[in-house]
């Protein structure tokens, strides 16, 4: 059960406790989360500098440095029991157990992070409506590990997209290819989920290259021809080109008006696109790792709760 008036509120605390104590099962339409990426960075000093409020809980909430402490060890040990409680297939439980045992000896910090995320993802699945969706923002360091976990939580059949957010920035001195993208994993709770097709403008080269004609209803098209194909009409979508899974959107620049000083702040234009695609006006949007609060701003602008 939820406490009265839990919507349109900002909660401060451990999101696992908040989910369990305040958010009812199957009550949320869309979840977006931009969790820490296991970067071994501490954000609590930034928060204290901005707010001037050194609250004890901030130490954990804003510290992205993971260790297999006693709590994480207990969570890892109990993971097979938790998986069974959430109805995960026994074969997958055995796989996770072997995986946990292997990571405990090879990458304990990564295991601490994955255990932390697993418990929370199961709760997020619980609170999503059957028509709901979840977008998880991550980077290439952990995306492949997180995807394995999410396949177990939501079911492989409910994986919808690996969205590539590509951006431009000043290049750094490096012996590797420059990293210019992040990954957003999109999953649905069930087979029938809310999705509103998104569009982007046609490129000028596309508009100029083809010979556009109009049919009897006034719809624009060009004729596709080739040596081995029968000519057919390709119609122009009135809204534009259907959006692909590669999104070229700018980062929040260092002097941008929306810049708040939070190190991993995401642009409002990115959050608007996600909210428009997988929710409708009046729907409930949940951000479990609130960061700079951009999700809340975009949700309110678009008439969501």
């Amino acid at each position: 059960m939820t406490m009265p008036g839990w919507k349109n509120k900002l909660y401060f605390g451990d999101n696992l406790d908040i989910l369990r104590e305040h958010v009812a099962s199957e009550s949320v339409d869309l979840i977006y989360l931009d969790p820490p990426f296991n970067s071994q960075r501490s954000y609590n000093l930034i928060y204290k500098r901005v707010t001037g409020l050194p609250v004890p809980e901030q130490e954990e909430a804003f510290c992205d440095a993971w260790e297999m402490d006693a709590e994480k060890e207990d969570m890892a040990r109990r993971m097979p029991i938790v998986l069974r409680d959430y109805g995960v297939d026994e074969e997958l439980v055995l796989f996770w157990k072997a995986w946990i045992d292997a990571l405990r000896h090879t990458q304990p910090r990564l295991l601490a992070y994955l255990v932390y995320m697993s418990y929370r993802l199961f709760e997020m699945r619980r609170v999503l409506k059957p028509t709901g969706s979840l977008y998880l923002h991550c980077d290439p360091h952990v995306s492949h590990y997180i995807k394995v976990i999410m396949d177990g939580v939501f079911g492989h059949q409910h994986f919808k997209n690996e969205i590539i957010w590509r951006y431009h920035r000043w290049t750094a001195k490096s012996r590797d290819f420059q990293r210019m993208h992040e990954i957003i994993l999109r999953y649905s709770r069930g087979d029938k989920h809310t999705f509103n097709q998104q569009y982007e403008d046609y490129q000028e080269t596309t508009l100029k290259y083809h010979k556009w004609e109009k049919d009897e209803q006034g719809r624009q098209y060009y004729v596709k021809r080739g040596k081995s194909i029968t000519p057919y009409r390709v119609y122009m979508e009135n809204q534009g080109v259907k959006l692909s899974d590669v999104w070229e959107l700018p980062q929040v620049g260092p002097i941008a008006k929306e810049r708040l000083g939070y190190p991993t702040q995401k642009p409002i234009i990115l959050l608007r696109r996600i909210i428009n695609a997988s929710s409708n006006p009046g729907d409930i949007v949940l951000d479990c790792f609130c960061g700079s609060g951009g999700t809340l701003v975009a949700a309110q602008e678009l008439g969501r709760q």
Side-chain angles (χ1 to χ4, degrees):
M1 296 297 293
T2 61
M3 293 177 61
W6 68 278
K7 304 170 189 174
N8 293 332
K9 286 192 175 181
L10 179 64
Y11 288 90
F12 177 78
D14 187 326
N15 55 15
L16 184 60
D17 295 335
I18 300 299
L19 284 165
R20 289 173 172 172
E21 296 171 12
H22 296 282
V23 188
S25 299
E26 300 186 354
S27 63
V28 173
D29 295 283
L30 170 63
I31 295 176
Y32 168 82
L33 61 153
D34 180 16
F37 291 163
N38 196 26
S39 65
Q40 305 304 311
R41 297 172 65 185
S42 179
Y43 299 118
N44 60 303
L45 295 178
I46 297 168
Y47 192 84
K48 290 175 183 177
R49 174 174 57 80
V50 172
T51 66
L53 300 174
V55 181
E57 288 89 345
Q58 290 174 356
E59 193 69 31
E60 181 176 352
F62 290 88
C63 185
D64 185 12
W66 305 90
E67 300 291 344
M68 281 301 291
D69 54 22
E71 180 186 20
K72 300 293 193 305
E73 281 288 357
D74 183 60
M75 293 172 74
R77 180 183 56 80
R78 291 188 293 109
M79 184 62 75
I81 300 173
V82 173
L83 295 174
R84 294 186 180 100
D85 289 343
Y86 279 103
V88 175
D89 291 339
E90 187 63 26
E91 291 81 3
L92 192 56
V93 173
L94 295 175
F95 166 78
W96 275 36
K97 186 177 184 303
W99 199 33
I100 288 171
D101 291 341
L103 289 174
R104 179 180 283 109
H105 299 293
T106 58
Q107 300 188 65
R109 288 183 176 180
L110 176 61
L111 176 59
Y113 174 75
L114 296 176
V115 167
Y116 171 92
M117 287 299 301
S118 297
Y119 277 70
R120 285 153 179 79
L121 285 167
F122 274 116
E123 282 300 309
M124 292 178 213
R125 181 185 182 278
R126 177 187 64 80
V127 305
L128 271 179
K129 291 180 181 178
T131 54
S133 298
L134 179 144
Y135 289 71
L136 189 149
H137 200 126
C138 53
D139 78 354
H141 291 100
V142 296
S143 61
H144 46 305
Y145 292 99
I146 289 291
K147 189 173 185 295
V148 171
I149 290 174
M150 294 181 73
D151 281 350
V153 173
F154 291 93
H156 181 78
Q157 72 276 21
H158 293 140
F159 167 70
K160 298 303 174 185
N161 287 107
E162 180 183 73
I163 299 165
I164 304 299
W165 172 35
R166 183 174 181 270
Y167 46 78
H168 297 281
R169 59 174 170 78
W170 289 105
T171 57
K173 186 177 181 179
S174 173
R175 292 177 59 83
D176 302 309
F177 293 113
Q178 294 290 312
R179 294 192 180 97
M180 295 289 192
H181 81 281
E182 292 178 12
I183 293 166
I184 303 172
L185 299 174
R186 171 178 167 246
Y187 280 77
S188 66
R189 166 72 191 271
D191 296 330
K192 296 182 179 180
H193 54 280
T194 299
F195 183 71
N196 305 309
Q197 183 67 61
Q198 302 296 294
Y199 298 86
E200 57 187 347
D201 294 336
Y202 283 95
Q203 295 184 358
E204 286 297 322
T205 52
T206 300
L207 297 175
K208 293 179 180 179
Y209 177 78
H210 297 293
K211 181 181 178 182
W212 295 93
E213 304 178 49
K214 289 186 178 181
D215 66 9
E216 52 276 8
Q217 283 83 38
R219 297 178 299 169
Q220 288 188 293
Y221 70 91
Y222 70 89
V223 178
K224 183 78 171 181
R225 293 182 171 88
K227 292 182 179 179
S228 58
I229 62 172
T230 302
Y232 62 91
R233 293 179 178 184
V234 177
Y235 279 89
M236 177 186 290
E237 296 275 0
N238 290 332
Q239 301 95 322
V241 183
K242 289 182 178 179
L243 194 64
S244 73
D245 56 4
V246 178
W247 298 356
E248 293 204 32
L249 296 171
Q251 288 183 307
V252 181
I255 60 173
K257 289 184 178 180
E258 63 182 275
R259 167 63 66 183
L260 298 175
Y262 194 77
T264 60
Q265 182 178 347
K266 300 302 183 290
I268 297 295
I269 189 174
L270 173 71
L271 302 168
R272 286 196 196 106
R273 179 172 288 182
I274 291 170
I275 292 170
N276 275 323
S278 291
S279 69
N280 296 310
D283 283 354
I284 298 173
V285 178
L286 173 65
D287 185 345
C288 301
F289 294 88
C290 215
S292 61
T295 308
L296 311 185
V297 173
Q300 183 165 319
E301 287 179 351
L302 296 172
R304 274 65 166 175
Q305 301 185 69

